[in-house]
mmCIF file of all heavy atoms in Angstrom:
data_model
loop_
_atom_site.group_PDB
_atom_site.id
_atom_site.type_symbol
_atom_site.label_atom_id
_atom_site.label_comp_id
_atom_site.label_asym_id
_atom_site.label_seq_id
_atom_site.Cartn_x
_atom_site.Cartn_y
_atom_site.Cartn_z
ATOM 1 N N LEU A 295 -6.068 -14.529 3.748
ATOM 2 C CA LEU A 295 -5.751 -14.558 2.323
ATOM 3 C C LEU A 295 -5.118 -13.244 1.888
ATOM 4 O O LEU A 295 -4.121 -13.227 1.145
ATOM 5 C CB LEU A 295 -7.012 -14.841 1.504
ATOM 6 C CG LEU A 295 -7.537 -16.278 1.514
ATOM 7 C CD1 LEU A 295 -8.852 -16.368 0.756
ATOM 8 C CD2 LEU A 295 -6.504 -17.224 0.905
ATOM 9 N N PHE A 296 -5.712 -12.136 2.340
ATOM 10 C CA PHE A 296 -5.183 -10.829 1.948
ATOM 11 C C PHE A 296 -3.772 -10.615 2.470
ATOM 12 O O PHE A 296 -2.859 -10.252 1.713
ATOM 13 C CB PHE A 296 -6.100 -9.714 2.453
ATOM 14 C CG PHE A 296 -5.530 -8.337 2.291
ATOM 15 C CD1 PHE A 296 -5.496 -7.724 1.041
ATOM 16 C CD2 PHE A 296 -5.002 -7.647 3.376
ATOM 17 C CE1 PHE A 296 -4.967 -6.458 0.868
ATOM 18 C CE2 PHE A 296 -4.475 -6.375 3.221
ATOM 19 C CZ PHE A 296 -4.452 -5.781 1.972
ATOM 20 N N PHE A 297 -3.569 -10.836 3.774
ATOM 21 C CA PHE A 297 -2.263 -10.551 4.364
ATOM 22 C C PHE A 297 -1.208 -11.572 3.936
ATOM 23 O O PHE A 297 -0.035 -11.215 3.812
ATOM 24 C CB PHE A 297 -2.374 -10.484 5.890
ATOM 25 C CG PHE A 297 -3.018 -9.227 6.388
ATOM 26 C CD1 PHE A 297 -4.252 -9.263 6.995
ATOM 27 C CD2 PHE A 297 -2.391 -8.008 6.229
ATOM 28 C CE1 PHE A 297 -4.857 -8.103 7.445
ATOM 29 C CE2 PHE A 297 -2.977 -6.826 6.672
ATOM 30 C CZ PHE A 297 -4.226 -6.881 7.286
ATOM 31 N N SER A 298 -1.617 -12.820 3.702
ATOM 32 C CA SER A 298 -0.648 -13.796 3.186
ATOM 33 C C SER A 298 -0.211 -13.399 1.782
ATOM 34 O O SER A 298 0.978 -13.414 1.461
ATOM 35 C CB SER A 298 -1.270 -15.197 3.172
ATOM 36 O OG SER A 298 -1.604 -15.623 4.465
ATOM 37 N N GLY A 299 -1.191 -13.050 0.947
ATOM 38 C CA GLY A 299 -0.857 -12.603 -0.395
ATOM 39 C C GLY A 299 -0.008 -11.346 -0.392
ATOM 40 O O GLY A 299 0.936 -11.211 -1.180
ATOM 41 N N ARG A 300 -0.345 -10.421 0.516
ATOM 42 C CA ARG A 300 0.421 -9.177 0.595
ATOM 43 C C ARG A 300 1.849 -9.446 1.055
ATOM 44 O O ARG A 300 2.807 -8.843 0.525
ATOM 45 C CB ARG A 300 -0.278 -8.216 1.560
ATOM 46 C CG ARG A 300 0.321 -6.808 1.602
ATOM 47 C CD ARG A 300 0.196 -6.127 0.259
ATOM 48 N NE ARG A 300 0.609 -4.753 0.326
ATOM 49 C CZ ARG A 300 -0.229 -3.724 0.545
ATOM 50 N NH1 ARG A 300 -1.527 -3.963 0.693
ATOM 51 N NH2 ARG A 300 0.205 -2.500 0.594
ATOM 52 N N ALA A 301 2.003 -10.345 2.029
ATOM 53 C CA ALA A 301 3.344 -10.668 2.509
ATOM 54 C C ALA A 301 4.177 -11.305 1.399
ATOM 55 O O ALA A 301 5.359 -10.969 1.225
ATOM 56 C CB ALA A 301 3.250 -11.612 3.717
ATOM 57 N N ILE A 302 3.567 -12.222 0.649
ATOM 58 C CA ILE A 302 4.288 -12.865 -0.463
ATOM 59 C C ILE A 302 4.655 -11.833 -1.530
ATOM 60 O O ILE A 302 5.788 -11.812 -2.038
ATOM 61 C CB ILE A 302 3.434 -13.993 -1.060
ATOM 62 C CG1 ILE A 302 3.262 -15.120 -0.044
ATOM 63 C CG2 ILE A 302 4.076 -14.529 -2.344
ATOM 64 C CD1 ILE A 302 2.293 -16.195 -0.486
ATOM 65 N N LEU A 303 3.687 -10.973 -1.886
ATOM 66 C CA LEU A 303 3.926 -9.962 -2.918
ATOM 67 C C LEU A 303 5.058 -9.020 -2.529
ATOM 68 O O LEU A 303 5.981 -8.772 -3.323
ATOM 69 C CB LEU A 303 2.644 -9.173 -3.170
ATOM 70 C CG LEU A 303 2.724 -8.048 -4.208
ATOM 71 C CD1 LEU A 303 3.006 -8.622 -5.598
ATOM 72 C CD2 LEU A 303 1.426 -7.240 -4.232
ATOM 73 N N GLU A 304 5.003 -8.502 -1.310
ATOM 74 C CA GLU A 304 6.034 -7.554 -0.872
ATOM 75 C C GLU A 304 7.386 -8.233 -0.697
ATOM 76 O O GLU A 304 8.426 -7.634 -0.984
ATOM 77 C CB GLU A 304 5.605 -6.890 0.444
ATOM 78 C CG GLU A 304 4.320 -6.085 0.381
ATOM 79 C CD GLU A 304 4.430 -4.831 -0.478
ATOM 80 O OE1 GLU A 304 5.542 -4.538 -0.989
ATOM 81 O OE2 GLU A 304 3.424 -4.133 -0.623
ATOM 82 N N THR A 305 7.376 -9.489 -0.251
ATOM 83 C CA THR A 305 8.638 -10.214 -0.084
ATOM 84 C C THR A 305 9.302 -10.484 -1.433
ATOM 85 O O THR A 305 10.515 -10.294 -1.596
ATOM 86 C CB THR A 305 8.401 -11.540 0.655
ATOM 87 O OG1 THR A 305 7.825 -11.275 1.944
ATOM 88 C CG2 THR A 305 9.712 -12.303 0.843
ATOM 89 N N VAL A 306 8.511 -10.947 -2.396
ATOM 90 C CA VAL A 306 9.047 -11.181 -3.734
ATOM 91 C C VAL A 306 9.558 -9.882 -4.350
ATOM 92 O O VAL A 306 10.644 -9.838 -4.950
ATOM 93 C CB VAL A 306 7.976 -11.821 -4.636
ATOM 94 C CG1 VAL A 306 8.440 -11.866 -6.095
ATOM 95 C CG2 VAL A 306 7.639 -13.224 -4.146
ATOM 96 N N PHE A 307 8.778 -8.817 -4.181
ATOM 97 C CA PHE A 307 9.159 -7.521 -4.728
ATOM 98 C C PHE A 307 10.473 -7.038 -4.113
ATOM 99 O O PHE A 307 11.387 -6.601 -4.822
ATOM 100 C CB PHE A 307 8.041 -6.510 -4.468
ATOM 101 C CG PHE A 307 8.293 -5.144 -5.028
ATOM 102 C CD1 PHE A 307 8.329 -4.928 -6.395
ATOM 103 C CD2 PHE A 307 8.497 -4.062 -4.192
ATOM 104 C CE1 PHE A 307 8.566 -3.667 -6.913
ATOM 105 C CE2 PHE A 307 8.725 -2.794 -4.698
ATOM 106 C CZ PHE A 307 8.761 -2.601 -6.065
ATOM 107 N N ALA A 308 10.572 -7.118 -2.779
ATOM 108 C CA ALA A 308 11.800 -6.698 -2.109
ATOM 109 C C ALA A 308 12.974 -7.586 -2.509
ATOM 110 O O ALA A 308 14.098 -7.102 -2.711
ATOM 111 C CB ALA A 308 11.601 -6.722 -0.590
ATOM 112 N N GLY A 309 12.713 -8.893 -2.636
ATOM 113 C CA GLY A 309 13.789 -9.799 -3.039
ATOM 114 C C GLY A 309 14.308 -9.500 -4.436
ATOM 115 O O GLY A 309 15.514 -9.549 -4.684
ATOM 116 N N LEU A 310 13.380 -9.170 -5.355
ATOM 117 C CA LEU A 310 13.806 -8.807 -6.705
ATOM 118 C C LEU A 310 14.624 -7.523 -6.706
ATOM 119 O O LEU A 310 15.634 -7.416 -7.418
ATOM 120 C CB LEU A 310 12.582 -8.644 -7.608
ATOM 121 C CG LEU A 310 11.856 -9.935 -8.007
ATOM 122 C CD1 LEU A 310 10.575 -9.620 -8.765
ATOM 123 C CD2 LEU A 310 12.760 -10.813 -8.855
ATOM 124 N N LEU A 311 14.203 -6.545 -5.909
ATOM 125 C CA LEU A 311 14.957 -5.300 -5.838
ATOM 126 C C LEU A 311 16.390 -5.547 -5.369
ATOM 127 O O LEU A 311 17.361 -5.077 -5.981
ATOM 128 C CB LEU A 311 14.265 -4.324 -4.884
ATOM 129 C CG LEU A 311 12.995 -3.638 -5.379
ATOM 130 C CD1 LEU A 311 12.406 -2.763 -4.279
ATOM 131 C CD2 LEU A 311 13.266 -2.792 -6.614
ATOM 132 N N VAL A 312 16.513 -6.302 -4.273
ATOM 133 C CA VAL A 312 17.846 -6.568 -3.725
ATOM 134 C C VAL A 312 18.663 -7.429 -4.692
ATOM 135 O O VAL A 312 19.853 -7.176 -4.931
ATOM 136 C CB VAL A 312 17.735 -7.259 -2.357
ATOM 137 C CG1 VAL A 312 19.113 -7.668 -1.841
ATOM 138 C CG2 VAL A 312 17.047 -6.341 -1.346
ATOM 139 N N GLY A 313 18.026 -8.453 -5.267
ATOM 140 C CA GLY A 313 18.740 -9.356 -6.161
ATOM 141 C C GLY A 313 19.253 -8.664 -7.409
ATOM 142 O O GLY A 313 20.411 -8.831 -7.787
#
Side-chain angles (χ1 to χ4, degrees):
L295 285 175
F296 171 76
F297 285 112
S298 298
R300 187 63 173 266
I302 294 173
L303 179 65
E304 299 293 357
T305 301
V306 171
F307 182 68
L310 287 173
L311 285 177
V312 174

